[in-house]
Amino acid sequence: MKKSKLIKTLALALAISSASALTLNIKANAIEGYWKSINNSWYFMDNSGKIQTGWVQDNGYWYYLGSDGTMKTGWLQDGGKWYYLWSNGQLAVNTTIQGYTSDSNGVCTLANRGAFSWKDAEGTHAFRTDIAQRQDDINATNKLTTYNVDLSQNNDLRHLQSLVSNITRNVLTISEAKEQCVGKVVGNKYLITDIKYFSGVFKNTQGVACDDRINTLKSSSDIYNYKSSSNYTYDEGRVYSCYNERSNQWEAMRVVVEFEEI
């Protein structure tokens, strides 16, 4: 957040409309205070130096301070509603973030952005050349892939496989994947709500054959600790052998695409 001074006295503009206050479910103290940076985190203090928590308003922008007083960024759930806070802490309003639309009060709802296509799975970054799939790796990937959505239409399965391939080969970052895919519809029925990504590096002594690598992933790594709460998922695990100076290693990645039925 840009501040003209490290510590700057700010008058809180709390004269918002009652409708806005009700929608945001905000209970802001009618105080004056100032921002202060402590250990690379921003805090809002009242004039006695007490750290504030919850929602505060500064020059017409809303900010959220955690229970420890730190200014929050990114996704926030409060009062059963979702909000998004920019990297400078300001509440996002009247915009679209990763497929979600925020209204004038910052409340985010998932937008239907049309059919998922091969273009949504594309990326622009350099393709990793230090990993590749042997036949055992392909067999492991097939065994690690599960889904409970109908992918019989419009090459949806192929597009999801391309998405996973591009994420795991670093052609597409997970944040870019969310930006391009969340809100898109698969099979005219399933709206993409989120994409999760997990990865790990292993030694060949932890298994080379297909079933050995699967057992390693399921029993001694964190990659499969995540259990989705979504009713519909496409869950693909990928195994890659490493080359060159890393030939004694192998890598595994897991991508979970989550949906809601529409």
Side-chain angles (χ1 to χ4, degrees):
M1 179 185 299
K2 292 183 178 179
K3 300 286 188 297
S4 59
K5 297 180 181 178
L6 185 62
I7 301 175
K8 181 180 180 182
T9 301
L10 301 170
L12 293 179
L14 295 176
I16 60 171
S17 68
S18 59
S20 175
L22 287 172
T23 302
L24 285 171
N25 192 27
I26 292 171
K27 296 181 179 179
N29 296 322
I31 61 171
E32 291 186 353
Y34 55 92
W35 291 100
K36 184 174 183 178
S37 179
I38 304 173
N39 295 329
N40 297 318
S41 294
W42 283 100
Y43 298 81
F44 190 83
M45 330 285 283
D46 66 15
N47 284 338
S48 69
K50 182 181 178 181
I51 293 176
Q52 301 301 296
T53 60
W55 291 98
V56 297
Q57 193 186 45
D58 165 26
N59 290 337
Y61 295 101
W62 284 102
Y63 302 83
Y64 189 85
L65 311 172
S67 58
D68 62 351
T70 57
M71 185 192 74
K72 299 301 181 182
T73 61
W75 288 105
L76 169 74
Q77 188 175 30
D78 182 54
K81 298 176 181 178
W82 282 99
Y83 305 89
Y84 190 83
L85 303 159
W86 298 117
S87 60
N88 64 1
Q90 293 176 0
L91 175 67
V93 296
N94 297 324
T95 189
T96 299
I97 312 101
Q98 296 176 359
Y100 287 78
T101 299
S102 63
D103 63 17
S104 60
N105 296 299
V107 178
C108 293
T109 55
L110 187 60
N112 184 329
R113 299 166 60 203
F116 176 66
S117 72
W118 64 270
K119 291 183 179 179
D120 301 314
E122 291 296 290
T124 59
H125 303 288
F127 188 88
R128 282 187 66 179
T129 58
D130 62 325
I131 57 175
Q133 287 194 305
R134 302 178 300 111
Q135 186 58 51
D136 274 347
D137 301 331
I138 294 172
N139 293 340
T141 294
N142 291 336
K143 289 186 176 183
L144 289 167
T145 300
T146 61
Y147 55 88
N148 61 351
V149 292
D150 181 3
L151 300 177
S152 62
Q153 303 182 49
N154 304 322
N155 293 313
D156 287 329
L157 177 58
R158 182 179 300 176
H159 298 334
L160 286 170
Q161 289 171 335
S162 295
L163 175 65
V164 173
S165 177
N166 285 333
I167 292 173
T168 58
R169 300 300 293 266
N170 288 2
V171 176
L172 182 69
T173 68
I174 187 62
S175 60
E176 290 169 343
K178 290 182 179 183
E179 190 69 37
Q180 293 174 194
C181 299
V182 170
K184 293 302 183 78
V185 178
V186 171
N188 298 319
K189 187 176 181 181
Y190 305 101
L191 191 71
I192 299 176
T193 58
D194 202 0
I195 304 173
K196 307 290 188 183
Y197 175 68
F198 312 90
S199 64
V201 179
F202 306 88
K203 298 290 186 181
N204 284 346
T205 53
Q206 294 173 274
V208 175
C210 167
D211 290 339
D212 291 336
R213 292 187 170 181
I214 291 175
N215 290 336
T216 295
L217 291 175
K218 293 295 183 71
S219 64
S220 60
S221 80
D222 296 332
I223 293 177
Y224 277 86
N225 286 349
Y226 175 73
K227 306 298 181 184
S228 177
S229 60
S230 297
N231 290 328
Y232 301 97
T233 60
Y234 177 86
D235 189 335
E236 181 173 333
R238 288 221 171 191
V239 174
Y240 292 98
S241 295
C242 300
Y243 289 92
N244 302 324
E245 68 275 7
R246 300 177 61 235
S247 60
N248 66 333
Q249 295 177 328
W250 55 281
E251 295 189 24
M253 296 87 158
R254 179 189 179 200
V255 177
V256 183
V257 183
E258 299 177 335
F259 308 86
E260 66 179 31
E261 190 172 10
I262 59 175

